[in-house]
Amino acid sequence: MSTDRTRPAGRRDQSGPRSAPGGPRSASNGPRSTPGGPRSVPPQRSRRLQPHRPQRPHQWFAERLLAVLSGQRPVHWMLGHTIGEAYDQLAELAPSTPLRATHGSRPVLRHCRGAQPATGVVEAFASIAAGDRVRAMAFRLEQGADQRGRCAAVELGGARLTAGAPGCR
């Protein structure tokens, strides 16, 4: 146990706060024996210091779509993010919660990939896991005049999301 009170609990490196250059050193205890001396070994980088990659628009939208289709959020949460028939389809299907939790396991987004077939268009697909069950979801985002992407089409498990479609219960 260290008696150095300048180092936070659980810290493993031996460096403490730095004092003026050329601080006291002792040759008998290796590179540094007193707190505040110069460092001889650079500190290791932590994973926390790595830059955070922002989510891509199709990943962000897939999370929102999953929340609505699993019953975690109301369908009107998607009101400004859909255009055309996509919102009507979601409004008809949301009450049936086709991606609801099975046996107590909450559905999660496993993978989400997107392709850009034309300027301002992203076609994406995602896999959703809930317990031992995996479902597929595909959607199309189109960029509007305000440069925001909005959903224009949604498919779930190979069947287009329409009320009464087989496989969408």
Side-chain angles (χ1 to χ4, degrees), residues 114-126:
Q116 192 170 8
T119 304
V121 175
V122 174
E123 292 182 347
F125 63 93

Side-chain angles (χ1 to χ4, degrees), residues 41-150:
V41 178
Q44 293 180 353
R45 287 196 139 177
S46 169
R47 289 181 187 224
R48 294 178 297 170
L49 298 178
Q50 292 177 354
H52 175 70
R53 263 192 353 218
Q55 267 189 331
R56 294 182 179 239
H58 59 276
Q59 294 168 325
W60 176 85
F61 186 80
E63 291 281 354
R64 291 182 77 91
L65 193 57
L66 173 60
V68 169
L69 293 175
S70 65
Q72 298 171 28
R73 292 287 187 164
V75 71
H76 68 266
W77 196 49
M78 300 295 290
L79 197 56
H81 303 289
T82 55
I83 57 174
E85 294 181 21
Y87 182 78
D88 296 335
Q89 293 169 347
L90 289 174
E92 290 178 19
L93 279 170
S96 66
T97 59
L99 295 177
R100 67 184 164 274
T102 58
H103 305 292
S105 60
R106 183 177 173 196
V108 294
L109 185 65
R110 288 180 50 192
H111 301 286
C112 184
R113 303 282 188 266
Q116 192 170 8
T119 304
V121 175
V122 174
E123 292 182 347
F125 63 93
S127 63
I128 313 297
D132 59 350
R133 189 173 178 193
V134 177
R135 302 281 307 263
M137 176 173 63
F139 53 94
R140 178 181 174 101
L141 299 176
E142 295 179 356
Q143 192 174 35
D146 60 356
Q147 304 301 311
R148 291 179 50 202
R150 290 185 177 82

